[in-house]
């Protein structure tokens, strides 16, 4: 690739945003100006450059990517999305243990682009993902993974189970031991519900995310910091790409977990049981 084409793709936000916009399909100039929220006189020089290099094609007032432009944007987009993901919440990502994310998903981290950083306020500092919990209590299907223990997890999980929410719940071994030791009756109530399943991941807690919570419309992700502590910060997204990414991450750990048949696990739990179908 010519250095000039690389410059066209990466060294101007206006050109980059225009190319990414046209990757979604042809648009007329008025719609482009409206979506990019920039004046015509500011955009026209960039359109001229992209046309000269053969990256976009004009047909009247309508612009589209050329075949070359489509190839370059398709190749560049994962990198641009990944950079945007890290830039949006730079401090959060730079201080997290990312080795809990399998490599094939880490390569697609850009699918979390646009995620919101959720930090509990002082009045809700001890609540279980406050201000977002309604996205899960109102859903008909929920996936949950906890590798830390929070005293509200048992009651929250039982509430979902009683609402006939189809729930898959994964614990790290340590968090399950705490759950089964202090909240055994609650656990047995959950297991008695046909719509709820509990699993235990056999690995070291720090090898998995601190939290994965996925409903039909939202994904909430938490990761330990570099020192192995969970700071109560979450990434929240409602984007379809992020939801699909989160479901893959959950399934990765579900496939490596064992189903719990009673709160006496592992003594009375058969090994290698198949997990129920994905949500």
């Amino acid at each position: 690739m010519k250095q000039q084409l690389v410059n066209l793709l990466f060294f101007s936000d206006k050109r980059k945003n225009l190319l990414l916009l046209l990757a979604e399909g042809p648009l007329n100039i008025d719609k482009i100006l409206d979506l990019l929220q920039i004046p015509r006189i500011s955009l026209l020089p960039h359109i001229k450059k992209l046309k000269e290099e053969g990256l976009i094609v004009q047909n009247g007032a309508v612009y589209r990517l050329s075949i070359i432009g489509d190839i370059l944007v398709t190749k560049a987009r994962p990198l641009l999305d990944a950079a945007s993901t890290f830039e949006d919440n730079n401090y959060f990502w730079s201080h997290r243990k990312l080795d809990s994310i399998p490599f094939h998903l880490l390569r697609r981290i850009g699918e979390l682009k646009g995620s919101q950083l959720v930090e509990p306020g002082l009045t809700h500092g001890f609540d279980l993902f406050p201000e977002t919990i309604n996205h899960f209590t109102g859903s008909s299907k929920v996936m949950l993974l906890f590798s830390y223990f929070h005293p509200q997890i048992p009651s929250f999980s039982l509430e979902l189970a009683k609402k006939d929410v189809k729930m898959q719940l994964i614990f790290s071994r340590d968090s399950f031991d705490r759950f089964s030791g202090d909240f055994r009756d609650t656990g047995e109530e959950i297991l008695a519900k046909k719509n709820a399943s509990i699993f235990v991941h056999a690995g070291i807690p720090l090898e998995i995310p601190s939290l994965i919570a996925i409903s039909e419309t939202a994904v909430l992700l938490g990761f330990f910091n570099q020192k192995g502590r969970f700071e109560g910060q979450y990434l929240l997204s409602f984007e379809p790409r992020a939801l699909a990414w989160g479901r893959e991450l959950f399934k990765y750990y579900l496939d490596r977990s064992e189903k719990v048949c009673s709160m006496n696990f592992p003594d009375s739990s058969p090994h290698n049981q198949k997990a129920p179908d994905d949500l």
Side-chain angles (χ1 to χ4, degrees):
M1 187 192 302
K2 290 182 182 179
Q3 184 64 36
Q4 186 176 357
L5 292 183
V6 174
N7 293 346
L8 282 174
L9 282 168
F10 294 109
F11 291 176
S12 165
D13 284 341
K14 292 184 178 70
R15 290 195 295 269
K16 178 186 70 176
N17 293 335
L18 174 59
L19 290 168
L20 291 174
L21 191 60
L22 293 180
E24 305 300 323
L27 290 171
N28 65 51
I29 186 63
D30 291 331
K31 187 65 174 178
I32 291 171
L33 294 172
D34 180 56
L35 291 172
L36 295 182
Q37 289 293 293
I38 57 177
R40 183 185 299 260
I41 194 171
S42 177
L43 185 62
L44 288 180
H46 298 289
I47 290 178
K48 183 174 183 292
K49 281 181 177 289
L50 294 171
K51 286 174 60 180
E52 288 172 350
E53 293 296 330
L55 298 188
I56 65 173
V57 177
Q58 180 181 3
N59 184 7
V62 175
Y63 295 87
R64 63 175 175 82
L65 292 180
S66 68
I67 293 176
I68 294 174
D70 184 61
I71 292 170
L72 293 178
V73 173
T74 299
K75 292 291 186 181
R77 186 161 198 163
L79 174 60
L80 293 171
D81 286 349
S84 178
T85 298
F86 292 134
E87 287 171 1
D88 288 346
N89 297 292
N90 179 259
Y91 182 85
F92 175 86
W93 285 114
S94 62
H95 289 77
R96 300 299 146 222
K97 284 179 63 67
L98 299 185
D99 48 1
S100 63
I101 303 175
F103 184 68
H104 71 283
L105 287 174
L106 196 57
R107 291 181 62 182
R108 291 163 41 206
I109 199 76
E111 293 174 24
L112 299 179
K113 176 185 174 182
S115 297
Q116 308 167 32
L117 182 62
V118 179
E119 300 181 88
L122 293 176
T123 57
H124 297 285
F126 297 101
D127 291 344
L128 182 65
F129 40 91
E131 301 172 4
T132 61
I133 205 164
N134 289 339
H135 296 300
F136 300 91
T137 55
S139 180
S140 64
K141 300 176 182 179
V142 170
M143 299 171 171
L144 298 169
L145 177 149
F146 295 101
S147 58
Y148 73 103
F149 191 80
H150 190 289
Q152 292 179 354
I153 290 173
S155 59
F156 171 66
S157 302
L158 181 58
E159 178 187 356
L160 293 178
K162 286 182 174 180
K163 287 184 175 181
D164 290 327
V165 174
K166 184 178 179 182
M167 178 177 66
Q168 294 172 316
L169 176 59
I170 303 175
F171 287 103
S172 67
R173 182 68 227 217
D174 288 352
S175 59
F176 179 80
D177 287 346
R178 174 76 183 278
F179 185 18
S180 62
D182 296 346
F183 300 91
R184 177 174 294 273
D185 292 343
T186 301
E188 294 293 359
E189 280 191 75
I190 294 172
L191 289 174
K193 302 290 290 183
K194 292 182 179 180
N195 55 291
S197 301
I198 298 177
F199 301 84
V200 172
H201 186 272
I204 299 170
L206 294 183
E207 293 177 346
I208 61 178
S210 53
L211 167 74
I212 305 172
I214 305 169
S215 70
E216 294 166 303
T217 60
V219 55
L220 195 67
L221 301 168
F223 301 95
F224 293 108
N225 65 19
Q226 296 287 354
K227 295 181 179 179
R229 298 191 183 96
F230 180 53
E231 297 176 335
Q233 296 177 318
Y234 311 93
L235 289 178
L236 173 67
S237 181
F238 307 101
E239 295 297 323
R241 286 204 310 165
L243 282 163
W245 191 96
R247 291 188 186 105
E248 282 192 52
L249 182 65
F250 183 88
K251 187 177 186 304
Y252 177 85
Y253 287 108
L254 184 64
D255 289 344
R256 290 158 177 76
S257 301
E258 297 179 23
K259 188 176 182 182
V260 174
C261 292
S262 85
M263 297 306 286
N264 292 320
F265 178 88
D267 297 333
S268 63
S269 176
H271 288 267
N272 302 318
Q273 293 196 53
K274 293 293 183 181
D277 293 338
D278 294 339
L279 298 183

